[in-house]
């Protein structure tokens, strides 16, 4: 039986979500002994090693760029977002950390309006405001459940939104391979010093898991790209949010976590608002800001 293109795209997106969910669980496991900054360094370093063979095959021209400062800004925002996200995964229940990460399209709307001069209609402004209400429901500032890690998680979503906006600017003039190589170089160098400050020598098993994380990130991104190539974006976007279901399942089975009702309510509001924003992006002919 031959699957329709939309069904194939859905399966690719589900695979992407499953891979990123396993990656997030690995971060939480490694964070029991290793500092999130050290984990972030290895994620960047091994990721660079995965990219280098393709860069070498392309030759020295891959390093030619007219926008070095934009590459630098993208790399610094990327490592900041990665560290914040990993800190949140280590210190918060998986479901809460993933729910807050869904806020990145909300920040992307604000940043695109401010720095890319994109016109934002009343519907997207309303959805963005509703999404931040969802964030407040998850975080609940002032409650006994509120933690510093909630703030860091939200900061991480902001930095990843910065990355989304900067990548959109770079894609106008730069090749994808050039963007990936510079990202690997900048993030590896930027995270090396902080990683040394908190260094704990990883065991061989931990080193293998750290390398597998970088491979999983590449695989998850590949599956996501295949999803959008195989099917209409509107058909695959909803399946990206299965990552929350995966996070709840893994959190319960592996870490004994049970999300409270407010996390689920806030996540539902967040998902509804970011789905609306994603569909508006599709209607305007732009790629939705989703993915791991």
């Amino acid at each position: 039986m031959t699957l329709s293109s939309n069904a194939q795209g859905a399966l690719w997106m589900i695979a992407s979500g499953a891979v990123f969910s396993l990656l997030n669980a690995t971060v939480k496991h490694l964070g029991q002994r290793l500092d999130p900054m050290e984990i972030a360094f290895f994620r960047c370093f091994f990721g660079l090693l995965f990219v280098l063979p393709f860069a070498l095959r392309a030759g020295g021209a891959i390093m030619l760029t007219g926008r070095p400062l934009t590459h630098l800004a993208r790399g610094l925002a990327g490592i900041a977002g990665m560290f914040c996200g990993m800190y949140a995964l280590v210190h918060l229940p998986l479901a809460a950390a993933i729910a807050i990460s869904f806020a990145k399209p909300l920040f992307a709307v604000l940043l695109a309006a401010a720095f890319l001069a994109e016109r934002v209609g009343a519907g997207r402004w309303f959805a963005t405001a509703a999404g931040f209400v969802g964030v407040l429901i998850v975080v609940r500032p002032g409650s006994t459940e509120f933690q510093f890690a909630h703030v860091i998680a939200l900061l991480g979503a902001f930095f990843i939104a910065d990355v989304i906006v900067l990548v959109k600017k770079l894609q106008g003039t730069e090749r994808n391979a050039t963007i990936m190589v510079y990202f690997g170089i900048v993030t590896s160098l930027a995270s090396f010093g902080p990683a040394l400050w908190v260094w704990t020598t990883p065991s061989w098993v931990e080193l293998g898991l750290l390398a597998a994380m970088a491979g999983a990130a590449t695989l998850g991104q590949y599956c996501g790209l295949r999803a959008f190539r195989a099917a209409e974006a509107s058909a695959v976007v909803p399946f990206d949010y299965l990552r929350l279901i995966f996070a709840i399942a893994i959190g319960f089975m592996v870490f004994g976590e049970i999300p409270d009702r407010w996390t689920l309510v806030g996540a539902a509001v967040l998902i509804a608002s970011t789905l609306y924003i994603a569909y508006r992006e599709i209607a305007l002919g732009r790629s939705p800001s989703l993915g791991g």
Side-chain angles (χ1 to χ4, degrees):
M1 183 179 71
T2 303
L3 293 174
S4 68
S5 59
N6 282 348
Q8 292 178 39
L11 289 176
W12 278 114
M13 186 57 78
I14 292 170
S16 175
V19 170
F20 278 118
S21 297
L22 291 174
L23 186 155
N24 292 335
T26 302
V27 170
K28 191 171 185 68
H29 169 72
L30 289 170
Q32 296 174 9
R33 203 176 80 87
L34 304 179
D35 189 272
M37 182 52 76
E38 185 178 351
I39 299 172
F41 162 71
F42 277 109
R43 158 71 180 84
C44 298
F45 178 69
F46 282 123
L48 177 61
L49 293 183
F50 281 123
V51 171
L52 279 181
F54 301 99
L56 293 174
R57 188 180 305 169
I62 200 172
M63 298 303 296
L64 295 177
T65 178
R67 313 186 77 169
L69 292 180
T70 308
H71 283 291
L72 177 63
R74 189 250 172 158
L76 294 177
I79 189 59
M82 194 179 301
F83 168 72
C84 290
M86 290 182 174
Y87 184 94
L89 287 168
V90 171
H91 293 91
L92 292 176
L94 276 178
I98 297 304
I100 296 172
S101 75
F102 289 151
K104 61 182 181 287
L106 309 179
F107 286 117
V109 169
L110 301 179
L111 292 169
F115 297 106
L116 298 182
E118 289 186 5
R119 294 184 61 184
V120 179
R124 281 202 292 165
W125 281 125
F126 178 80
T128 301
F132 282 117
V133 170
V135 171
L136 289 175
I137 295 172
V138 175
V139 173
R140 279 163 290 161
S143 73
T144 56
E145 302 297 324
F146 178 71
Q147 299 180 44
F148 176 68
H150 286 110
V151 178
I152 297 298
L154 194 57
L155 192 61
F158 170 76
F159 281 124
I160 297 303
D162 283 329
V163 171
I164 292 169
V165 172
L166 290 168
V167 167
K168 285 182 178 180
K169 293 183 70 173
L170 287 169
Q171 284 176 329
T173 59
E174 309 288 282
R175 292 186 293 178
N176 285 336
T178 302
I179 295 172
M180 292 173 67
V181 169
Y182 273 104
F183 181 76
I185 293 172
V186 172
T187 54
S188 295
L189 291 175
S191 59
F192 181 62
L196 285 180
W197 183 261
V198 295
W199 187 265
T200 298
T201 302
S203 67
W204 286 109
V205 172
E206 289 169 334
L207 203 59
L209 289 174
L210 290 163
M213 275 177 46
T218 303
L219 177 60
Q221 291 168 358
Y222 172 78
C223 290
L225 290 172
R226 285 295 301 266
F228 284 110
R229 286 177 186 163
E232 299 171 1
S234 59
V236 301
V237 161
F239 291 95
D240 184 58
Y241 293 94
L242 286 175
R243 288 186 292 128
L244 181 61
I245 305 300
F246 294 146
I248 292 172
I250 293 172
F252 175 71
M253 291 187 294
V254 179
F255 302 103
E257 299 171 348
I258 301 176
D260 60 56
R261 61 179 177 177
W262 292 114
T263 296
L264 298 178
V265 170
V269 174
L270 258 170
I271 289 172
S273 63
T274 54
L275 269 176
Y276 176 85
I277 291 169
Y279 280 122
R280 287 299 299 155
E281 292 282 307
I282 293 167
L284 294 170
R286 298 194 287 257
S287 299
S289 305
L290 299 174

